[in-house]
Amino acid sequence: MSDVVVFVRSQRRFGDQIVAFSALYLLKQLWADKAVRVVSRYDVGHFYRELPWVDEFVRAGAFVEQFRALPRRAEVSVNFHHSSERYALISLLRRPALRMGFDNNRLGDRVWTHRHRKDINEYIGLANLRLLGAYQEHDPEDVARQCFARIAMPYRHEVEPADIVLIPGGGSGEFKRWALEHYIALADLLQQKLGGHAVFTFVLGPDETAELERLKQLGRRDFRIEFCRPVGALAALMQDARLVVSNDCGPSHIAQGLCLPYVGVFNEPNPEWFWARECTRDVVPDNASKEINSIQPARVLRACMEVLAASSSQPAHLSRAAT
């Protein structure tokens, strides 16, 4: 039985799934006695089945399959899509008591009992939480921290906590990859600023085998490598990090979900994928080229030092993810 049905965004990539985790966590807090079903057009169930607050995943590509995925007995439908009309039509036909979706100048927006205005300048993970905030108010940062701390819990004794995390991936292509050599140069600059005792953990995925070999060749004692780790392990090793620097990639959203001091390196401004907070900065090319590797390590260093300074001024319970 599925009492709460969530239609997640029709995207396949790692990051597109990660930004839904906190909202799914909150749904289970709000309806602890209800079964939560996640529905996607794509075969991304492995991301969701490991979450203890998701009871069922359904892949539904065609309209009829999506219609059937929202049973008549369902009490709540939550729709993270903001462009298609089909999910509003499904909710209209099935008529669950609570129908939540984004207000985005669509005819179907009238179907929603609870809505949040879609803003392309708002971080997607935050927008999902604010949609649920239309039903019950909450602190999005607290919810996100709790979510990823819970995901990390089974791995806390299996991984070594990181000091500074560097994430040079970029699954969408080279245009999103600030090069590994820049990260190495940044590590050298940070080491000088931080007294020579920092340890840098490089988080790498299956597309970073060349970076893996390069880092192994360096053999630096202040470099650690984490390769192809699951989400829970990444959350556990990042949870107490004092700084994360990342390209726009899936693991970056684990760090942002933990509300860590964070610097994102982008080829262009991308607020839907950057959670702007006091202890975060985004760095983009300043020459209007969209060439990410035109960004010099010294610029990213300045952003890092600003973030570290902001973090040090925060109360202790906010400067690290809740345990």
Side-chain angles (χ1 to χ4, degrees), residues 78-97:
V78 180
N79 303 270
F80 291 151
H81 298 265
H82 63 266
S83 57
S84 174
E85 295 276 15
R86 70 167 59 195
Y87 302 97
L89 177 58
I90 291 169
S91 287
L92 177 64
L93 294 173
R94 286 302 204 192
R95 288 283 182 174

Side-chain angles (χ1 to χ4, degrees), residues 16-248:
D16 291 284
Q17 319 317 317
I18 300 298
V19 293
F21 284 8
S22 297
L24 294 171
Y25 171 83
L26 180 57
L27 280 169
K28 198 64 169 183
Q29 307 306 303
L30 295 174
W31 287 282
D33 61 335
K34 307 298 183 184
V36 174
R37 170 185 286 179
V38 173
V39 183
S40 174
R41 291 180 60 189
Y42 298 112
D43 187 16
V44 293
H46 56 287
F47 290 110
Y48 297 102
R49 292 188 183 100
E50 295 184 2
L51 298 177
W53 45 87
V54 172
D55 298 287
E56 183 183 11
F57 173 83
V58 173
R59 181 181 181 184
F63 178 83
V64 171
E65 295 171 330
Q66 293 163 349
F67 178 75
R68 290 172 178 165
L70 180 63
R72 291 188 180 278
R73 63 178 178 272
E75 297 181 23
V76 184
S77 72
V78 180
N79 303 270
F80 291 151
H81 298 265
H82 63 266
S83 57
S84 174
E85 295 276 15
R86 70 167 59 195
Y87 302 97
L89 177 58
I90 291 169
S91 287
L92 177 64
L93 294 173
R94 286 302 204 192
R95 288 283 182 174
L98 297 176
R99 305 178 296 277
M100 303 187 197
F102 288 104
D103 186 353
N104 197 28
N105 300 323
R106 298 167 297 179
L107 182 63
D109 293 344
R110 301 178 183 182
V111 170
W112 312 131
T113 60
H114 298 79
R115 70 197 70 209
H116 175 65
R117 180 67 185 171
K118 177 61 183 175
D119 182 354
I120 62 171
N121 293 310
E122 183 175 51
Y123 179 61
I124 290 175
L126 176 59
N128 291 340
L129 287 168
R130 285 180 169 165
L131 173 58
L132 300 187
Y135 173 75
Q136 181 166 308
E137 291 186 4
H138 60 271
D139 184 323
E141 291 189 29
D142 282 349
V143 171
R145 287 191 190 95
Q146 292 167 18
C147 165
F148 284 94
R150 177 65 182 84
I151 290 171
M153 195 176 297
Y155 295 88
R156 289 284 283 174
H157 301 293
E158 297 182 17
V159 299
E160 184 175 350
D163 177 22
I164 295 175
V165 178
L166 305 178
I167 311 177
S172 295
E174 290 298 318
F175 70 99
K176 284 194 173 185
R177 289 177 180 264
W178 198 52
L180 176 65
E181 295 306 317
H182 286 324
Y183 276 96
I184 294 170
L186 174 65
D188 290 336
L189 293 171
L190 282 167
Q191 198 67 278
Q192 294 170 20
K193 289 283 188 180
L194 301 176
H197 303 295
V199 177
F200 301 92
T201 297
F202 286 82
V203 169
L204 306 175
D207 295 329
E208 285 86 60
T209 54
E211 289 84 349
L212 174 65
E213 292 306 313
R214 169 67 172 140
L215 290 169
K216 285 181 175 179
Q217 288 171 5
L218 291 175
R220 287 179 50 163
R221 295 181 64 182
D222 60 341
F223 285 3
R224 288 174 44 206
I225 303 170
E226 298 288 352
F227 183 65
C228 289
R229 286 285 203 165
V231 172
L234 292 176
L237 69 89
M238 289 186 199
Q239 191 170 1
D240 296 315
R242 57 172 158 165
L243 174 67
V244 179
V245 185
S246 179
N247 295 342
D248 181 13

